[in-house]
């Protein structure tokens, strides 16, 4: 069962309503210039809204649901459309079934079960269904040594060095509850890069040990956090704890990280087979 807090009522609602196994999700890209620090082009909030839509879809699929996602957008120039496609690709956001739909119900095959939108935007086509409002994202001025959030139109692809890994941005944004506003700072982005580096190295090391099942308590805690209002921050905290627990065998740590990365989308298994020799 997947339950989401409907912003309109504040109550947790089950989506989709049982016994249907198809989740219809409508993600609403904000108008350009919406929110702080966006200017006239693609800004951080345009990244976070489809990111939460992606996590919603991944969580639903992990729980055996089929998902159809439509992304509604303002009118896009050719350059903006290409930039949006590139940003979603490098951040591991699965492509929606339809982008730019003006009649989302038709594209979804029925009314949306849930709408994902930036806080305070109140999309005109968000009629029925639960509403998830995603908090705004601001960026602090970069320091000389530590950059802030990369320009979204210039994000590197996943083959670039670790220091430019755009998935660090994904991790940073997933580390806060989705409704909470986030300010991206250079130190926070650097810490996200370090965490990704350390977790990937650990996963690569654990993968060399005999596989072990995911402990029942960890599976229950993580799935409960995800299905009760997409508490991804709690899952990330759980992984940080698991990585340091001596009572969890390396093979079980590997299976836990690999399983939950199906939702997190952080490419945690990337370094398997590429460990440095002593």
């Amino acid at each position: 069962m997947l339950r989401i807090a409907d912003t309109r009522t504040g109550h947790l609602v089950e989506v989709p309503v049982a016994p249907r196994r198809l989740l219809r999700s409508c993600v609403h890209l904000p108008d350009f210039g919406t929110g702080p620090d966006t200017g006239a082009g693609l800004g951080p909030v345009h990244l976070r809204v489809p990111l939460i839509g992606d996590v919603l879809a991944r969580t639903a699929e992990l729980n055996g649901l089929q998902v159809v996602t439509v992304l509604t957008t303002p009118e896009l120039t050719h350059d903006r459309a290409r930039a949006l496609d590139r940003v979603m690709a490098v951040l591991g956001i699965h492509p929606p079934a339809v982008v730019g739909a003006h009649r989302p119900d038709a594209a979804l095959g029925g009314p949306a079960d849930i709408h994902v939108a930036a806080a305070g935007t109140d999309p005109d086509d968000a009629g029925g269904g639960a509403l998830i409002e995603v908090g705004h994202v601001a960026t602090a001025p970069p320091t000389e040594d530590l950059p802030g959030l990369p320009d979204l139109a210039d994000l590197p692809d996943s083959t670039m060095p670790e220091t430019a890994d755009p998935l660090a941005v994904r991790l940073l944004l997933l580390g806060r509850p989705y409704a909470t506003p986030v300010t991206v700072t250079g130190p926070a982005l650097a810490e996200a890069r370090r965490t990704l580096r350390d977790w990937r190295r650990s996963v690569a090391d654990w993968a060399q040990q005999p596989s072990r099942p995911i402990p029942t308590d960890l599976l229950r805690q993580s799935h409960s956090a995800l299905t009760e209002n997409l508490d991804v921050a709690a899952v990330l905290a759980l992984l940080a704890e698991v990585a340091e627990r001596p009572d969890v065998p390396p093979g079980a740590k590997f299976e836990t990280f690999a399983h939950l990365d199906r939702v997190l989308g952080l490419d945690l298994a990337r370094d398997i087979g590429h460990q440095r020799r002593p």
Side-chain angles (χ1 to χ4, degrees):
M1 179 190 302
L2 177 59
R3 302 205 304 168
I4 298 295
D6 187 344
T7 301
R8 297 186 182 100
T9 65
H11 297 148
L12 285 170
V13 296
E14 182 181 344
V15 293
V17 177
R20 186 158 58 84
R21 304 297 296 172
L22 173 66
L23 178 70
R24 300 186 181 108
S25 172
C26 187
V27 179
H28 304 265
L29 197 72
D31 289 335
F32 299 107
T34 297
D37 213 24
T38 59
L42 287 172
V45 73
H46 298 97
L47 179 160
R48 197 182 188 195
V49 171
L51 174 59
I52 298 305
D54 181 60
V55 170
L56 170 67
R58 287 170 178 261
T59 299
E61 290 169 348
L62 191 67
N63 284 272
L65 296 172
Q66 292 182 309
V67 183
V68 177
T69 300
V70 163
L71 177 65
T72 68
T73 69
E75 292 298 326
L76 296 175
T77 64
H78 179 68
D79 287 345
R80 278 179 176 166
R82 290 185 60 188
L84 177 61
D85 287 344
R86 177 169 171 76
V87 166
M88 291 197 296
V90 299
L91 288 168
I93 297 172
H94 291 164
V98 178
V99 175
H102 295 291
R103 296 181 56 201
D105 287 7
L108 289 167
D113 298 295
I114 192 160
H115 298 267
V116 183
T121 57
D122 192 19
D124 294 334
D125 47 1
L131 173 64
I132 286 180
E133 285 197 348
V134 178
H136 288 296
V137 186
T139 55
T143 67
E144 289 186 10
D145 299 323
L146 293 170
L149 186 67
D151 188 303
L152 298 190
D154 296 325
L155 279 174
D157 63 35
S158 58
T159 63
M160 294 294 285
E162 171 270 331
T163 53
D165 190 348
L167 291 182
V169 179
R170 182 179 176 112
L171 173 59
L172 178 57
L173 294 182
L174 291 180
R176 300 288 185 274
Y178 63 76
T180 304
V182 174
T183 299
V184 178
T185 65
L189 189 56
E191 178 62 27
R193 289 171 178 151
R194 285 191 292 269
T195 297
L196 270 186
R197 178 198 61 204
D198 293 345
W199 281 0
R200 286 168 174 164
R201 289 177 179 174
S202 294
V203 168
D205 290 339
W206 298 331
Q208 299 181 80
Q209 303 299 317
S211 178
R212 294 288 186 269
I214 301 173
T216 303
D217 63 321
L218 297 181
L219 194 62
R220 181 178 63 252
Q221 289 178 53
S222 58
H223 279 225
S224 176
L226 289 171
T227 56
E228 290 288 308
N229 206 30
L230 298 181
D231 193 354
V232 180
V235 173
L236 291 170
L238 180 65
L239 288 183
E241 176 187 335
V242 169
E244 302 299 325
R245 279 178 56 175
D247 61 316
V248 180
K253 291 182 179 181
F254 168 77
E255 296 294 346
T256 302
F257 273 66
H259 176 70
L260 293 176
D261 199 36
R262 293 169 60 186
V263 169
L264 300 175
L266 297 173
D267 202 8
L268 296 179
R270 188 182 74 179
D271 289 349
I272 292 178
H274 299 283
Q275 298 97 319
R276 295 180 180 177
R277 294 181 179 180

Coordinates of all heavy atoms in Angstrom, one line a residue, residues 132-188:
I132 N 0.8 16.5 -4.2 CA 2.1 16.6 -3.5 C 2.6 17.9 -3.9 O 2.9 18.2 -5.1 CB 3.0 15.5 -3.9 CG1 2.6 14.1 -3.3 CG2 4.5 15.8 -3.5 CD1 3.6 13.0 -3.7
E133 N 2.9 18.8 -2.9 CA 3.6 20.1 -3.2 C 5.0 19.9 -2.8 O 5.4 19.6 -1.7 CB 2.9 21.2 -2.4 CG 1.6 21.7 -3.0 CD 1.2 23.0 -2.5 OE1 1.8 23.5 -1.6 OE2 0.2 23.6 -3.1
V134 N 5.9 20.3 -3.7 CA 7.4 20.1 -3.5 C 8.0 21.5 -3.1 O 7.7 22.5 -3.8 CB 8.0 19.6 -4.8 CG1 9.5 19.5 -4.7 CG2 7.4 18.3 -5.2
G135 N 8.7 21.5 -2.1 CA 9.4 22.7 -1.6 C 10.3 23.3 -2.6 O 11.0 22.6 -3.4
H136 N 10.5 24.6 -2.5 CA 11.4 25.3 -3.4 C 12.9 25.0 -3.1 O 13.2 24.6 -2.0 CB 11.1 26.8 -3.4 CG 9.8 27.3 -4.0 ND1 9.6 27.1 -5.3 CD2 8.7 27.8 -3.5 CE1 8.4 27.6 -5.6 NE2 7.8 28.0 -4.5
V137 N 13.7 25.3 -4.1 CA 15.2 25.1 -3.9 C 15.8 26.5 -4.2 O 15.6 27.1 -5.2 CB 15.7 24.1 -4.9 CG1 17.2 23.8 -4.6 CG2 14.9 22.8 -4.8
A138 N 16.7 26.9 -3.3 CA 17.5 28.1 -3.5 C 19.0 27.7 -3.5 O 19.3 26.6 -3.0 CB 17.2 29.1 -2.5
T139 N 19.8 28.5 -4.1 CA 21.3 28.2 -4.1 C 22.0 29.3 -3.4 O 21.7 30.5 -3.6 CB 21.8 28.0 -5.5 OG1 21.5 29.2 -6.3 CG2 21.2 26.8 -6.2
A140 N 22.9 28.9 -2.5 CA 23.8 29.9 -1.8 C 24.9 30.3 -2.8 O 25.3 29.5 -3.6 CB 24.3 29.4 -0.5
P141 N 25.4 31.5 -2.7 CA 26.5 31.9 -3.5 C 27.7 31.0 -3.3 O 28.0 30.6 -2.2 CB 26.9 33.3 -3.1 CG 25.6 33.8 -2.4 CD 25.0 32.6 -1.8
P142 N 28.4 30.5 -4.4 CA 29.5 29.6 -4.3 C 30.7 30.3 -3.7 O 30.9 31.6 -3.8 CB 29.8 29.2 -5.7 CG 29.3 30.3 -6.6 CD 28.1 30.8 -5.8
T143 N 31.6 29.6 -3.0 CA 32.8 30.1 -2.5 C 33.9 29.9 -3.5 O 33.6 29.2 -4.6 CB 33.2 29.4 -1.2 OG1 33.5 28.0 -1.5 CG2 32.1 29.4 -0.2
E144 N 35.1 30.3 -3.3 CA 36.2 30.1 -4.2 C 36.5 28.6 -4.4 O 36.9 28.2 -5.5 CB 37.4 30.8 -3.8 CG 37.3 32.4 -3.9 CD 38.7 33.0 -3.6 OE1 39.7 32.3 -3.4 OE2 38.7 34.3 -3.4
D145 N 36.4 27.9 -3.3 CA 36.8 26.5 -3.3 C 35.6 25.5 -3.6 O 35.9 24.4 -4.1 CB 37.4 26.1 -2.0 CG 38.7 26.9 -1.7 OD1 39.4 27.2 -2.6 OD2 38.9 27.3 -0.5
L146 N 34.4 25.9 -3.3 CA 33.3 25.0 -3.4 C 32.2 25.6 -4.2 O 31.6 26.6 -3.9 CB 32.8 24.6 -2.0 CG 33.7 23.8 -1.1 CD1 33.2 23.8 0.3 CD2 33.9 22.4 -1.7
P147 N 31.9 25.0 -5.4 CA 30.8 25.5 -6.2 C 29.5 25.3 -5.6 O 29.3 24.4 -4.7 CB 31.0 24.7 -7.5 CG 31.6 23.4 -7.0 CD 32.5 23.7 -5.9
G148 N 28.5 26.0 -6.1 CA 27.1 25.7 -5.7 C 26.5 24.7 -6.7 O 27.2 23.9 -7.3
L149 N 25.2 24.8 -6.8 CA 24.5 23.9 -7.8 C 24.9 24.2 -9.2 O 24.9 25.4 -9.6 CB 23.0 24.1 -7.6 CG 22.1 23.1 -8.4 CD1 22.2 21.7 -7.9 CD2 20.6 23.6 -8.4
P150 N 25.3 23.2 -10.0 CA 25.7 23.5 -11.3 C 24.6 24.1 -12.2 O 23.4 23.9 -11.9 CB 26.1 22.1 -11.9 CG 26.3 21.2 -10.7 CD 25.4 21.8 -9.6
D151 N 25.0 24.8 -13.2 CA 24.0 25.3 -14.1 C 23.3 24.1 -14.8 O 23.9 23.2 -15.3 CB 24.7 26.1 -15.2 CG 23.7 26.8 -16.1 OD1 22.8 26.1 -16.7 OD2 23.8 28.1 -16.3
L152 N 21.9 24.1 -14.7 CA 21.2 22.9 -15.1 C 21.3 22.6 -16.6 O 21.3 21.5 -17.0 CB 19.7 23.1 -14.7 CG 19.4 23.2 -13.3 CD1 17.9 23.1 -13.0 CD2 20.2 22.2 -12.4
A153 N 21.6 23.7 -17.4 CA 21.7 23.4 -18.8 C 23.1 22.8 -19.1 O 23.3 22.3 -20.2 CB 21.5 24.7 -19.6
D154 N 24.0 22.9 -18.2 CA 25.4 22.5 -18.4 C 25.8 21.3 -17.6 O 27.0 21.1 -17.4 CB 26.4 23.7 -18.2 CG 26.1 24.8 -19.1 OD1 25.7 24.6 -20.3 OD2 26.3 26.0 -18.7
L155 N 24.9 20.6 -16.9 CA 25.2 19.5 -16.1 C 26.0 18.5 -16.9 O 25.6 18.2 -18.1 CB 24.0 18.8 -15.5 CG 23.4 19.5 -14.3 CD1 22.1 18.8 -13.9 CD2 24.3 19.5 -13.1
P156 N 27.1 17.9 -16.4 CA 27.8 16.9 -17.1 C 27.1 15.6 -17.2 O 26.2 15.3 -16.4 CB 29.1 16.7 -16.3 CG 28.6 17.1 -14.9 CD 27.6 18.1 -15.0
D157 N 27.5 14.7 -18.1 CA 26.8 13.4 -18.2 C 27.5 12.5 -17.2 O 28.5 12.8 -16.6 CB 26.9 12.8 -19.6 CG 28.3 12.6 -20.2 OD1 29.1 12.2 -19.4 OD2 28.5 12.8 -21.4
S158 N 27.0 11.3 -17.1 CA 27.4 10.4 -16.0 C 28.8 9.8 -16.3 O 29.3 9.1 -15.4 CB 26.4 9.2 -15.8 OG 26.2 8.6 -17.1
T159 N 29.4 10.1 -17.4 CA 30.7 9.5 -17.7 C 31.8 10.5 -17.2 O 33.0 10.2 -17.3 CB 30.9 9.3 -19.2 OG1 30.9 10.6 -19.9 CG2 29.9 8.4 -19.7
M160 N 31.4 11.7 -16.7 CA 32.4 12.6 -16.2 C 33.0 12.2 -14.9 O 32.5 11.3 -14.2 CB 31.8 14.0 -16.1 CG 31.3 14.6 -17.4 SD 32.7 15.0 -18.5 CE 33.3 16.5 -17.7
P161 N 34.1 12.8 -14.4 CA 34.7 12.4 -13.2 C 33.8 12.5 -12.0 O 32.8 13.3 -12.0 CB 35.9 13.3 -13.1 CG 36.2 13.8 -14.4 CD 34.9 13.8 -15.1
E162 N 34.1 11.8 -10.9 CA 33.3 11.8 -9.7 C 33.0 13.2 -9.2 O 31.9 13.5 -8.7 CB 33.9 10.9 -8.7 CG 33.3 11.0 -7.3 CD 33.9 12.0 -6.4 OE1 35.1 12.3 -6.6 OE2 33.2 12.6 -5.6
T163 N 34.0 14.1 -9.3 CA 33.8 15.4 -8.7 C 32.8 16.2 -9.4 O 32.2 17.2 -8.9 CB 35.2 16.2 -8.8 OG1 35.6 16.2 -10.2 CG2 36.2 15.6 -7.9
A164 N 32.4 15.8 -10.6 CA 31.3 16.5 -11.3 C 30.0 15.7 -11.4 O 29.2 16.0 -12.2 CB 31.8 16.8 -12.8
D165 N 30.0 14.6 -10.6 CA 28.8 13.7 -10.7 C 27.5 14.4 -10.4 O 27.3 14.9 -9.3 CB 29.1 12.6 -9.7 CG 28.1 11.4 -9.8 OD1 27.1 11.6 -10.6 OD2 28.3 10.4 -9.2
P166 N 26.6 14.5 -11.4 CA 25.3 15.2 -11.1 C 24.5 14.4 -10.1 O 23.5 15.0 -9.6 CB 24.7 15.2 -12.5 CG 25.4 14.1 -13.3 CD 26.8 14.1 -12.8
L167 N 24.7 13.1 -9.9 CA 23.9 12.4 -9.0 C 24.1 12.8 -7.5 O 23.3 12.5 -6.7 CB 24.1 10.9 -9.1 CG 23.6 10.2 -10.4 CD1 23.9 8.8 -10.4 CD2 22.1 10.5 -10.6
A168 N 25.2 13.6 -7.3 CA 25.4 14.2 -6.0 C 24.3 15.2 -5.8 O 23.8 15.4 -4.6 CB 26.8 14.9 -5.9
V169 N 23.9 15.9 -6.8 CA 22.7 16.9 -6.7 C 21.5 16.1 -6.4 O 20.7 16.5 -5.5 CB 22.6 17.6 -8.0 CG1 21.4 18.6 -7.9 CG2 23.8 18.4 -8.4
R170 N 21.3 14.9 -7.0 CA 20.1 14.1 -6.7 C 20.1 13.7 -5.2 O 19.1 13.8 -4.5 CB 20.1 12.9 -7.6 CG 18.9 12.0 -7.4 CD 18.9 10.8 -8.4 NE 17.8 9.9 -8.1 CZ 16.7 9.7 -8.9 NH1 16.7 10.3 -10.0 NH2 15.8 8.9 -8.5
L171 N 21.3 13.2 -4.7 CA 21.4 12.8 -3.4 C 21.1 14.0 -2.4 O 20.4 13.8 -1.4 CB 22.8 12.2 -3.1 CG 23.1 11.9 -1.6 CD1 22.1 10.9 -1.1 CD2 24.5 11.4 -1.5
L172 N 21.6 15.1 -2.7 CA 21.4 16.3 -1.9 C 20.0 16.6 -1.8 O 19.4 16.9 -0.7 CB 22.2 17.5 -2.4 CG 22.1 18.8 -1.6 CD1 22.5 18.6 -0.2 CD2 23.0 19.9 -2.3
L173 N 19.3 16.7 -2.9 CA 17.8 17.0 -2.8 C 17.0 16.0 -2.2 O 15.9 16.3 -1.6 CB 17.4 17.3 -4.3 CG 18.0 18.6 -4.9 CD1 17.4 18.8 -6.3 CD2 17.8 19.8 -4.1
L174 N 17.4 14.7 -2.3 CA 16.6 13.6 -1.7 C 16.8 13.5 -0.2 O 16.1 12.9 0.5 CB 17.0 12.3 -2.3 CG 16.5 12.1 -3.7 CD1 16.9 10.7 -4.2 CD2 15.0 12.3 -3.9
G175 N 17.8 14.3 0.3 CA 18.2 14.2 1.7 C 17.3 15.0 2.6 O 17.5 15.1 3.8
R176 N 16.3 15.7 2.1 CA 15.4 16.5 2.8 C 13.9 16.1 2.5 O 13.7 15.7 1.3 CB 15.5 18.0 2.5 CG 16.9 18.6 2.8 CD 17.1 18.8 4.3 NE 18.4 19.5 4.5 CZ 19.5 18.9 4.6 NH1 19.6 17.5 4.4 NH2 20.6 19.5 4.9
P177 N 13.0 16.1 3.4 CA 11.6 15.8 3.1 C 11.1 16.7 1.9 O 11.5 17.8 1.8 CB 10.8 16.2 4.4 CG 11.9 16.0 5.5 CD 13.2 16.4 4.8
Y178 N 10.4 16.1 1.0 CA 10.1 16.7 -0.3 C 9.4 18.1 -0.1 O 9.5 18.9 -1.0 CB 9.3 15.8 -1.2 CG 7.9 15.4 -0.7 CD1 6.8 16.3 -0.8 CD2 7.7 14.1 -0.2 CE1 5.6 15.9 -0.4 CE2 6.4 13.7 0.2 CZ 5.4 14.6 0.1 OH 4.1 14.3 0.6
A179 N 8.6 18.3 0.9 CA 7.9 19.5 1.1 C 8.7 20.6 1.7 O 8.3 21.8 1.8 CB 6.6 19.3 2.0
T180 N 9.9 20.3 2.2 CA 10.7 21.2 2.9 C 11.6 22.0 1.9 O 12.3 21.4 1.1 CB 11.7 20.5 3.9 OG1 10.9 19.7 4.8 CG2 12.6 21.5 4.6
P181 N 11.6 23.3 2.0 CA 12.5 24.1 1.1 C 13.9 23.8 1.4 O 14.3 23.4 2.5 CB 12.2 25.6 1.5 CG 10.8 25.5 2.1 CD 10.7 24.2 2.8
V182 N 14.7 23.8 0.3 CA 16.2 23.5 0.4 C 17.0 24.6 -0.1 O 16.7 25.2 -1.1 CB 16.4 22.2 -0.4 CG1 17.9 21.9 -0.4 CG2 15.7 21.0 0.2
T183 N 18.1 24.9 0.6 CA 19.1 25.8 0.1 C 20.4 25.0 -0.1 O 20.9 24.4 0.8 CB 19.4 26.9 1.1 OG1 18.2 27.7 1.3 CG2 20.5 27.9 0.6
V184 N 20.8 25.0 -1.4 CA 22.0 24.2 -1.8 C 23.2 25.1 -1.5 O 23.3 26.2 -2.0 CB 21.9 23.8 -3.2 CG1 23.2 23.1 -3.7 CG2 20.7 22.9 -3.5
T185 N 24.1 24.5 -0.7 CA 25.4 25.2 -0.5 C 26.6 24.4 -1.0 O 26.4 23.2 -1.2 CB 25.6 25.5 1.0 OG1 25.7 24.2 1.7 CG2 24.4 26.2 1.6
G186 N 27.7 25.1 -1.2 CA 28.9 24.4 -1.7 C 29.3 23.2 -0.7 O 29.5 22.1 -1.2
P187 N 29.4 23.5 0.6 CA 29.7 22.4 1.5 C 28.7 21.2 1.5 O 29.2 20.1 1.6 CB 29.7 23.1 2.9 CG 30.0 24.5 2.6 CD 29.3 24.8 1.3
A188 N 27.5 21.5 1.4 CA 26.5 20.4 1.3 C 26.7 19.6 0.1 O 26.5 18.3 0.1 CB 25.1 21.0 1.4

